[in-house]
Amino acid sequence: MVAGNKGSAKNIIFFGDDESFYESLKPRFVENYEQFQWEFIYIKEDLNEHVQVKLLDLIELKPVIIYFDFSCYSDRLKNLIEMVTKDSRFKGVAKVGLCEKKESCVKYTGLGLELIYVKGAELHDFVFGPLTVAMPDVAQKKQFATAKCEESISLNSYGKIGFLTASYAHVEGNMILEQGARLYLHHNLDKSILPSSNFTVKVNYNYDLHYHFDYSYDLEFHYVDEPNLEDDNELMHSDGSDEEAMAQAEKLEEERARRQEEIESFDHRLKQTKKKFKEWVWDKVDLGKEKKLKVMVYDPKMRILGEEECQPLDSYPFSLRCFSKLSDDLDEIKKIRPGIIAIQLMGEIEFENREIFLNAIEAYKNKESMEQTGPPKAEWQMSEDEVELERLKKNLPELEADDGELVKRLIEKVKSIDNYSPIVVLLNSHLQSAAALQQTYQYSMLMTNDSEISTVLIESMATMFLKKQQEKYETLMEQKLNQLKQKDPKKYQRFTIHDLKEKRYYVNKNDTLGIVRYGVPGMIVKMNESELVISSDSELKLGIYQIEEPFPMFLTFVPVEKGKPFVKERGTNFYRGLINGISEEDKKELRRYVNEVFFAPLEQQKAKELEDFQSLNELKLQERIEEEKRLEEERLAELNVEEEDENEEGEVTNLEGEETESVEASGEEAENQIDDIDEAS
């Protein structure tokens, strides 16, 4: 067992092999959130072994944040994460993935992690993000520059392909897709095999799920995209001369011929692609193995994980799902739809000495009086075994009542699901027979066993169930084949029951081939370098999304307010997203982008002020020029008036016979006068 504080301290657990990065995180919590007592637990040993054993540590330590470093043991860690994220005990715990490169992040999107970061030197987000998930009331926001904008984006939600057939893909995801809807789905299948990304929703489900999603869909392939053909009525037509009408008719015939050629080409490509894809799927059928049975185990102490016989859970021929805590509505049952549900009764008791427990059960069944004949012994007078026996006898009535309530709720949940009748096995059951319990709960598929839960017992039950299931399946298929042979002997003469089974290629859960993305419209309303606000008309679940603009990044939607995944204003939903899945270089670009948008209004104001200033200067300059021109014209006008007055005076004197001295200016003197006038002006 890993050492850690199980009391009031806030436990933070780091799985991985990067002690330097782990050590760099610790001061951020201690210095910035000194009001809490923090306990840090670093786990790297034995991660290449049966890592699910570490779930026992997590149950005991009750962490607030768990970091999973994928730089090593990534596949083993994924098995542990799948158990953690599906167990209600860890609801509200921040589960954080750490990658060396941003290209690796997408591989971990279907595990139920809240955040996936690319490791780097800037550590603010690595602390702020997880605390926003786990302790939103105390997470400290930094005063970053915040840009207001209206950037249209596509919000991409990730999903996983479970299996492929020749005609459809079975996909799990978190988007609500209506039956019959046509959608564009980003996929990783080779374009030479499946050129089109268009699909039609054939069926949708919200049960029988394998991954950490809420819905599944059967999506029919379009194989190749249909040609975009105009209707005849949309083609050009002429109301002009006969020659124009004839020319238009020729164009129409050419267009019809071209369209017919496209249709024939499309039909040919569609036929060839269907054939090629079918051959590809059938060739892959034996690569992926279908697990025909799901077994759900509930045990608060997860005893089977501590057994030496317990193998990695994904190595069993059936799907084994273990839970230490179930949700209040028991929705796990509907989502998983297990064939066998195994419940450890009195699961909170740890049996250090099982014989004492059995003695307490026997005494309780016989209704032994809790009081002894004669004076009761004081605790100091009893042995440890006697003390334990008395404690168990005292607690058994309450434990029996709790178990009865759990079984009642569980059977009610099972009955509420259409066409579903799993085997319910009550383990460590000593107080009532199976027949009595079947009568009490009116459920004939209820069984009991007085043994403790164990992998040997689970395997034995699963093997027996699978054998009976296979026999039942073969009987039904033989009946169906006989009916077909009677109906059309020639066609089905050489058929076997194997030929009637749908050919499915089950995609390995670790294969990136199975990752898909589906986008809905949205808009960035506000953003800084750590988080943003998104608006969308769609009602979206909390979790990880991906956007391409302004550049590729992950967003983790967290509640806008306590208990509110979004706020609605004027018919639009507003979401709060934490930025993750970006490198340090991306972070610098993001900061630059935010600053450009943030300072854009200020720069625009400065530019406007400069433009106004320049316009004012030009106006004043023009006014000055106009004023100087006006003054110049006035001076010239005054000089002209004086000259005219002098000339008129000379003419009058000569006419009256008065003696005048005629001053004749030579050509040179006249020019000097003009120069003087010019200088004066």
Side-chain angles (χ1 to χ4, degrees), residues 337-558:
R337 209 161 175 144
I340 298 176
I341 301 174
I343 304 294
Q344 170 80 7
L345 297 182
M346 303 187 188
E348 295 291 348
I349 300 176
E350 292 193 68
F351 304 112
E352 295 182 5
N353 188 331
R354 186 163 176 78
E355 185 178 350
I356 296 175
F357 170 75
L358 294 176
N359 289 337
I361 288 290
E362 194 62 30
Y364 180 69
K365 286 169 66 176
N366 296 330
K367 304 299 180 184
E368 250 187 30
S369 172
M370 297 298 293
E371 297 181 1
Q372 305 293 325
T373 56
K377 284 185 179 181
E379 190 169 312
W380 61 270
Q381 295 176 307
M382 292 188 265
S383 66
E384 289 184 4
D385 288 352
E386 288 176 322
V387 171
E388 180 65 14
L389 177 63
E390 293 303 315
R391 185 185 67 82
L392 286 173
K393 286 164 63 177
K394 184 177 180 180
N395 291 337
L396 281 175
E398 182 180 349
L399 292 172
E400 182 186 23
D402 290 344
D403 285 345
E405 180 62 26
L406 172 63
V407 175
K408 177 185 175 184
R409 288 170 49 230
L410 189 146
I411 298 299
E412 287 175 350
K413 184 69 176 182
V414 166
K415 289 181 176 180
S416 71
I417 302 172
D418 293 336
N419 303 315
Y420 179 55
S421 300
I423 295 174
V424 177
V425 184
L426 304 181
L427 302 169
N428 196 39
S429 178
H430 299 273
L431 301 178
Q432 293 189 62
S433 67
L437 290 168
Q438 289 173 4
Q439 180 65 30
T440 299
Y441 298 110
Q442 292 295 295
Y443 190 70
S444 62
M445 303 295 284
L446 187 63
M447 301 169 59
T448 61
N449 191 304
D450 60 6
S451 300
E452 270 196 281
I453 195 166
S454 68
T455 50
V456 173
L457 186 58
I458 295 297
E459 280 191 272
S460 175
M461 289 191 301
T463 301
M464 189 181 302
F465 182 94
L466 285 169
K467 182 180 178 181
K468 291 184 176 180
Q469 187 182 50
Q470 183 64 22
E471 291 173 353
K472 184 178 179 181
Y473 167 78
E474 290 178 359
T475 300
L476 291 173
M477 295 303 287
E478 286 287 358
Q479 293 174 355
K480 183 177 180 180
L481 182 59
N482 289 333
Q483 291 173 357
L484 291 171
K485 285 183 176 181
Q486 291 175 4
K487 186 176 181 180
D488 193 340
K490 186 176 181 180
K491 180 178 180 180
Y492 295 101
Q493 182 179 3
R494 297 185 179 182
F495 268 55
T496 65
I497 59 173
H498 179 72
D499 297 319
L500 297 181
K501 184 180 178 181
E502 183 179 54
K503 304 293 190 295
R504 293 178 175 179
Y505 166 33
Y506 286 87
V507 181
N508 187 288
K509 66 179 182 179
N510 295 321
D511 194 340
T512 55
L513 179 74
I515 299 173
V516 296
R517 284 186 292 131
Y518 172 67
V520 297
M523 181 176 289
I524 300 175
V525 177
K526 189 191 301 183
M527 71 184 302
N528 60 36
E529 61 184 70
S530 285
E531 57 181 304
L532 40 66
V533 175
I534 297 284
S535 68
S536 176
D537 293 335
S538 301
E539 191 167 316
L540 305 171
K541 291 182 61 63
L542 300 181
I544 291 181
Y545 293 81
Q546 187 263 359
I547 61 174
E548 293 288 342
E549 299 295 338
F551 43 81
M553 68 177 78
F554 286 169
L555 308 176
T556 296
F557 283 0
V558 294

Side-chain angles (χ1 to χ4, degrees), residues 646-670:
E646 289 177 359
N647 291 337
E648 288 178 1
E649 184 179 348
E651 290 175 359
V652 171
T653 303
N654 289 334
L655 288 171
E656 293 179 351
E658 298 178 0
E659 290 186 0
T660 60
E661 183 177 355
S662 176
V663 180
E664 294 181 359
S666 65
E668 184 178 350
E669 290 174 339

